[in-house]
Amino acid sequence: MKDLIQELHSRKESDRIYAAQDMGKSKDPDFAQELLRRLTQEKSQLVKDTIVFNLKKMPCHKMYEELFRLFASTDAYLRNAAVSIFGAEKDAAIAYLTAHLDHANREVRKLILDALYATGTPEAVLAIRAGIHDPSVNVQITAVEYLGMLEDRGSIEDMILLLEKENEPMLRCTILESLSRIRSDGVIAKVMEILSSRDDINSIDAVYVPGVIRLAARSGDLDFICRAFETIRDFHVYADDIMRAVGETRRHFNNILEECCVLDMVVSMAKNPRLREDIRYSAVELLLSDEQKLLQDEEFLSIGNALISEPLMIYAGVRLLARSGDSSAKETIRNIIRESKNEELRNLCEELIGDVSPAFSGKGDR
């Protein structure tokens, strides 16, 4: 044992690494204490990483006090190391960590929640819930975020009460995100009662609209989604959130394009040059995935012709032209093949013409 301890403090980096590895293999809790002492004075990043890696494999119950003191360290590496080592202790560390949730330092309380979450055990959930009632907003945000990631249905009512009680925007946004992760029926109605006196999405503070849209989509509340989409003003401002919501809702309702004004909204987004290209491409993908032929061929042709005039949207445009099955669309695609110097685009056009030739021949090529 003495030889390993001496090697752990050797001037040679390689000796310290080998010593840390050998101590880790032994799983001796006394060695764990020696490793932690070395960690607080070690300068080599490689040696520090080796020490932490091995401590996470060893029983560390004998040094919880020393480990806990690292939460107050000015060294971010040591603070994060303490979180990960406590997390590796699993259930063994939960009682100790929970007993310190009333620590005077809010940053330490936040790190305790980090460590509880890192344990990955169901027993940690109750302790994390306590963070919802912490006097520090930052600690509350951390607790709410972790409970959402754990999909803890037992914390829904506490989150809703917190949403009603607190007005801090970041906290409220985190609550909305966590509630959307948990996905519970009826939550959107309770949220709207708090955020809007008129059950109108346009009366909500703009900072919360994306979270409300996401919550409605993930909870699968089709009635609210349709009402929101039909009434929302300046929906292009929330185009990204709406497109994500439509994608989420498709998991619950395959025919979402049939509902309310969704189809018109998606078409408008595909054609709007003010929107980011990725949003517009997502809209085009939705239109192309329509197997119920909600759009007429003429509409595919019109949108496709509009998009091929934009260099960044030309790929989407030719796909829509091909989907239209119109003979004029086929000729337009042939012109692109002849005139474009973009080999990738030409290959796509040739592939599309080959794929849709029966549809073309059924129309203008007779």
Side-chain angles (χ1 to χ4, degrees):
M1 181 174 181
K2 289 183 179 179
D3 291 342
L4 276 179
I5 293 174
Q6 287 179 346
E7 290 181 12
L8 185 63
H9 298 282
S10 168
R11 290 184 178 183
K12 293 180 64 176
E13 181 184 67
S14 59
D15 288 345
R16 301 199 300 277
I17 290 173
Y18 290 135
Q21 292 172 337
D22 289 341
M23 288 179 173
K25 290 176 183 177
S26 76
K27 298 189 183 299
D28 186 333
D30 292 330
F31 276 146
Q33 290 180 302
E34 291 294 336
L35 286 170
L36 186 64
R37 292 190 192 102
R38 182 65 212 181
L39 179 64
T40 59
Q41 55 188 274
E42 181 59 55
K43 302 300 181 183
S44 165
Q45 187 63 51
L46 185 57
V47 177
K48 287 196 291 187
D49 291 345
T50 304
I51 290 174
V52 172
F53 177 79
N54 283 279
L55 281 173
K56 289 165 66 175
K57 301 190 298 181
M58 303 172 71
C60 296
H61 57 276
K62 286 188 175 183
M63 60 176 200
Y64 280 177
E65 289 294 333
E66 296 95 324
L67 191 59
F68 185 77
R69 281 197 286 271
L70 295 185
F71 281 170
S73 171
T74 57
D75 186 336
Y77 182 91
L78 292 179
R79 295 197 302 270
N80 292 332
V83 168
S84 64
I85 295 167
F86 267 125
E89 288 287 285
K90 303 297 182 182
D91 288 337
I94 290 176
Y96 179 88
L97 292 168
T98 303
H100 291 77
L101 278 171
D102 60 350
H103 196 280
N105 187 327
R106 66 183 181 185
E107 295 303 323
V108 170
R109 298 198 303 274
K110 190 266 185 191
L111 290 169
I112 291 172
L113 293 182
D114 292 343
L116 286 167
Y117 177 74
T119 66
T121 63
E123 288 74 12
V125 174
L126 289 176
I128 296 174
R129 283 183 196 169
I132 291 179
H133 308 289
D134 194 277
S136 165
V137 170
N138 287 339
V139 177
Q140 290 177 319
I141 289 172
T142 300
V144 168
E145 182 177 9
Y146 284 148
L147 292 168
M149 293 168 68
L150 292 166
E151 298 183 13
D152 177 39
R153 302 180 72 84
S155 63
I156 290 175
E157 289 303 320
D158 282 340
M159 288 190 195
I160 291 174
L161 289 173
L162 190 61
L163 182 71
E164 185 173 19
K165 175 185 174 184
E166 301 291 343
N167 293 318
E168 205 285 323
M170 182 60 71
L171 175 58
R172 281 186 152 189
C173 287
T174 305
I175 292 172
L176 292 175
E177 175 61 26
S178 288
L179 289 174
S180 72
R181 287 176 178 268
I182 297 172
R183 295 180 173 89
S184 177
D185 294 340
V187 168
I188 188 66
K190 296 178 181 178
V191 167
M192 288 298 295
E193 287 178 7
I194 295 169
L195 298 181
S196 170
S197 59
R198 305 194 302 273
D199 192 27
D200 178 7
I201 196 167
N202 294 297
S203 67
I204 298 174
D205 188 317
V207 74
Y208 305 129
V209 171
V212 169
I213 291 173
R214 189 158 51 249
L215 173 60
R218 290 181 179 176
S219 64
D221 192 323
L222 187 59
D223 289 340
F224 178 84
I225 293 168
C226 288
R227 189 165 67 252
F229 284 1
E230 287 172 343
T231 60
I232 193 168
R233 294 190 294 268
D234 300 324
F235 67 83
H236 293 104
V237 174
Y238 306 105
D240 195 4
D241 304 293
I242 290 173
M243 287 306 306
R244 292 177 188 274
V246 172
E248 289 278 354
T249 308
R250 288 185 70 195
R251 300 178 184 180
H252 303 278
F253 308 98
N254 290 330
N255 61 338
I256 185 61
L257 289 177
E258 285 186 313
E259 303 295 338
C260 55
C261 59
V262 174
L263 181 60
D264 290 341
M265 189 176 292
V266 171
V267 169
S268 177
M269 290 181 184
K271 295 169 65 174
N272 192 330
R274 293 177 297 170
L275 299 182
R276 296 198 320 265
E277 285 76 20
D278 62 315
I279 298 175
R280 299 175 70 191
Y281 267 95
S282 295
V284 169
E285 289 297 332
L286 274 173
L287 297 177
L288 291 170
S289 68
D290 169 32
E291 297 178 354
Q292 302 177 52
K293 298 184 178 180
L294 299 175
L295 274 187
Q296 298 295 315
D297 292 340
E298 291 77 10
E299 293 174 289
F300 279 112
L301 179 65
S302 174
I303 302 170
N305 279 325
L307 296 190
I308 62 169
S309 63
E310 301 180 47
L312 294 177
M313 295 300 299
I314 191 168
Y315 286 88
V318 295
R319 293 177 66 197
L320 290 168
L321 288 177
R323 176 64 182 269
S324 76
D326 190 272
S327 58
S328 65
K330 184 174 184 179
E331 187 56 36
T332 298
I333 294 174
R334 282 176 175 162
N335 286 335
I336 293 173
I337 294 172
R338 286 192 293 266
E339 297 173 6
S340 177
K341 296 180 180 180
N342 185 328
E343 184 176 355
E344 183 181 359
L345 177 60
R346 291 200 306 271
N347 289 339
L348 173 63
C349 290
E350 291 170 357
E351 179 183 345
L352 289 171
I353 289 178
D355 288 344
V356 300
S357 56
F360 281 125
S361 61
K363 285 197 170 186
D365 282 355
R366 292 181 179 177

